[in-house]
Amino acid sequence: MSIMRVHKTGNFTVMSNFHFKEKEMSLKAKGLLSLMLSLPDDWNYSVAGLVTLSKDGKDGVMSALSELESFGYLKRTRVTDDKGRFSGIEYDIFEQPMKDLPI
């Protein structure tokens, strides 16, 4: 089998291979994590925004996000405004699982 490589001069992503070695993780979750790691640091994460980046629907994205949380690659925190009302979700995305480390 041959591997065709492209000369990379721009528009590529450097990320850890750690999540690719998770044998128990689905390809869908690995792909979503890779996509999320390729986005700019200031990208506004949301389920609706992630749905626009692929043909998978809301349920597929939500199940992949839940899987990433269970493996420790994602932490979602509910954010409230100064009156205590829900104002969104903050996403913390990790290249290696953070199950055992304090955040």
Side-chain angles (χ1 to χ4, degrees):
M1 177 167 75
S2 63
I3 298 174
M4 304 301 276
R5 301 219 186 253
V6 177
H7 180 66
K8 297 169 189 74
T9 58
N11 199 24
F12 62 93
T13 300
V14 177
M15 70 180 76
S16 170
N17 287 332
F18 199 89
H19 63 287
F20 292 121
K21 296 181 179 13
E22 293 274 7
K23 291 186 179 190
E24 300 300 317
M25 186 186 293
S26 71
L27 289 173
K28 177 172 61 174
K30 290 176 184 182
L32 183 59
L33 179 58
S34 299
L35 175 64
M36 293 168 77
L37 289 170
S38 77
L39 296 170
D41 291 342
D42 62 348
W43 198 78
N44 189 10
Y45 290 90
S46 69
V47 172
L50 292 169
V51 167
T52 66
L53 299 176
S54 74
K55 72 175 194 171
D56 292 306
K58 182 179 178 182
D59 291 340
V61 169
M62 289 178 65
S63 70
L65 290 173
S66 293
E67 187 176 351
L68 291 174
E69 277 185 309
S70 71
F71 276 86
Y73 289 94
L74 173 66
K75 180 182 176 210
R76 291 184 282 185
T77 306
R78 293 177 59 94
V79 179
T80 56
D81 63 16
D82 57 347
K83 295 184 180 179
R85 294 178 297 202
F86 175 77
S87 63
I89 297 178
E90 181 179 289
Y91 286 68
D92 292 306
I93 303 152
F94 309 104
E95 284 191 306
Q96 292 190 17
M98 293 293 169
K99 288 181 182 177
D100 302 323
L101 298 176
I103 298 173

